């Protein structure tokens, strides 16, 4: 039964995406909603991204210094490992998991509320492709803004590492700088951005599906938000394994 239900859900998801990715009927209206979704989903998330990234960068630097650093290792190892962790995993994968909770639940609850209050039905009666009108701006807006959030996250994490060097005196700023610059591979930045684009699509499309397909009342809206966050998080973790292997 679980396999049949999963295949049915996947089929409904593909059909919804087929309706979503159609040419907008009014391009001016689409662009207006596209900019609004970038602001609501991305710009409004910058604060939590910067806050979490700063403290995670600081904590990673402290943990690397206390638990990995030894007299047999160069002093710059702490900065090197901090940079690699922030670029390769945290700023893309872990940050997107956090955003799946904030953004995903927001999208699912918004569309779910529109469904149970029959606003989506009203759009359909008016002859509007409600899937394209409501979902496409969210997906495109999330995909557009996500690379900037990844870059801000990585930069703020490094600032957090410097804060531990200057304030906490965990290691000298000079050693941290040498470690951050040591054997830098620019492809890791691009790999993090490419992964974030896939994760942005997963968060926005899966959450939109669960919100758009709600049946019932307000209780089902809450359940759809939970299902959207859980499904998005699981899919991000699965795709992270394949993308890391593919891009490395």
């Amino acid at each position: 039964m679980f396999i049949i239900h999963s295949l049915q859900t996947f089929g409904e998801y593909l059909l919804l995406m087929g309706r979503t990715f159609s040419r907008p009927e009014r391009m001016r209206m689409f662009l207006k909603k596209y900019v609004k979704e970038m602001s609501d989903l991305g710009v409004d998330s910058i604060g939590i991204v910067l806050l979490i990234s700063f403290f995670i960068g600081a904590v990673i630097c402290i943990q690397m210094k206390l638990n990995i650093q030894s007299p047999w290792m160069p002093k710059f190892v702490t900065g090197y490992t901090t940079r690699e962790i922030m670029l390769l995993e945290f700023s893309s994968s872990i940050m997107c998991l956090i955003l799946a909770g904030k953004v995903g639940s927001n999208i699912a609850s918004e569309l779910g509320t529109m469904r149970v209050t029959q606003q989506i039905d009203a759009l359909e009666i008016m002859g509007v492709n409600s899937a394209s009108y409501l979902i496409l701006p969210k997906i495109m807006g999330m995909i557009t803004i996500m690379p900037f959030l990844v870059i801000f996250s990585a930069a703020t994490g490094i600032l957090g590492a410097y804060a531990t060097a200057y304030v906490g005196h965990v290691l000298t700023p000079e050693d941290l700088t040498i470690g951050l610059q040591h054997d830098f591979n620019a492809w890791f930045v691009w790999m993090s951005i490419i992964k974030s684009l896939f994760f942005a699509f997963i968060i926005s499309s899966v959450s939109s599906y669960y919100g758009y397909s709600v049946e019932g009342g307000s209780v089902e809206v809450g359940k759809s938000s939970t299902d959207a966050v859980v499904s998005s998080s699981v899919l991000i973790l699965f795709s992270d394994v394949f993308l890391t292997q593919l891009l490395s």
Side-chain angles (χ1 to χ4, degrees):
M1 290 296 294
F2 174 76
I3 297 177
I4 295 175
H5 177 70
S6 299
L7 290 175
Q8 181 181 354
T9 301
F10 182 62
E12 293 174 352
Y13 169 79
L14 291 180
L15 290 174
L16 179 61
M17 290 300 105
R19 291 181 55 202
T20 299
F21 287 96
S22 60
R23 188 179 185 277
E25 297 169 2
R26 296 180 60 184
M27 188 58 69
R28 183 178 178 184
M29 182 64 70
F30 167 76
L31 293 176
K32 183 178 179 181
K33 288 182 66 64
Y34 168 65
V35 174
K36 181 178 182 299
E37 296 298 343
M38 274 199 296
S39 174
D40 292 344
L41 302 179
V43 177
D44 290 350
S45 301
I46 290 179
I48 190 172
V49 168
L50 298 183
L51 181 66
I52 294 174
S53 300
F54 182 86
F55 286 103
I56 290 296
V59 170
I60 289 174
C61 184
I62 294 172
Q63 292 284 11
M64 293 300 105
K65 175 63 178 176
L66 296 180
N67 297 305
I68 292 181
Q69 192 77 60
S70 73
W72 304 100
M73 288 185 179
K75 294 182 178 180
F76 64 77
V77 168
T78 298
Y80 173 76
T81 52
T82 300
R83 184 197 73 202
E84 298 295 270
I85 292 173
M86 290 300 300
L87 279 182
L88 291 175
E89 276 305 311
F90 181 82
S91 295
S92 58
S93 307
I94 308 302
M95 186 53 63
C96 286
L97 283 174
I98 296 170
L99 291 177
K102 179 184 183 299
V103 176
S105 60
N106 181 23
I107 293 175
S109 59
E110 178 186 342
L111 292 177
T113 302
M114 293 184 70
R115 171 63 76 182
V116 299
T117 55
Q118 300 181 342
Q119 297 179 53
I120 295 179
D121 296 333
L123 288 173
E124 296 286 350
I125 293 173
M126 293 166 59
V128 177
N129 182 354
S130 59
S132 178
Y133 178 76
L134 295 173
I135 299 175
L136 186 59
K138 297 181 184 297
I139 294 177
M140 298 307 296
M142 193 67 183
I143 291 176
T144 303
I145 203 69
M146 186 61 81
F148 296 97
L149 295 179
V150 168
I151 294 171
F152 293 156
S153 173
T156 309
I158 292 174
L159 287 178
Y162 271 108
T164 61
Y166 280 103
V167 179
H169 304 292
V170 175
L171 74 167
T172 63
E174 292 76 17
D175 290 335
L176 179 61
T177 303
I178 294 173
L180 292 173
Q181 295 175 345
H182 176 72
D183 196 23
F184 176 70
N185 187 353
W187 169 246
F188 289 165
V189 178
W190 289 108
M191 187 170 77
S192 183
I193 291 174
I194 293 171
K195 286 165 62 177
S196 72
L197 295 177
F198 283 91
F199 299 154
F201 176 79
I202 290 173
I203 294 171
S204 54
S205 63
V206 171
S207 301
S208 296
Y209 164 75
Y210 277 102
Y212 189 87
S213 59
V214 166
E215 295 179 357
S218 57
V219 175
E220 282 71 21
V221 174
K223 185 176 182 300
S224 71
S225 299
T226 303
D227 292 340
V229 174
V230 172
S231 299
S232 299
S233 301
V234 171
L235 288 173
I236 287 173
L237 292 173
F238 272 110
S239 59
D240 185 31
V241 175
F242 294 106
L243 287 172
T244 301
Q245 181 68 27
L246 184 65
L247 297 174
S248 297

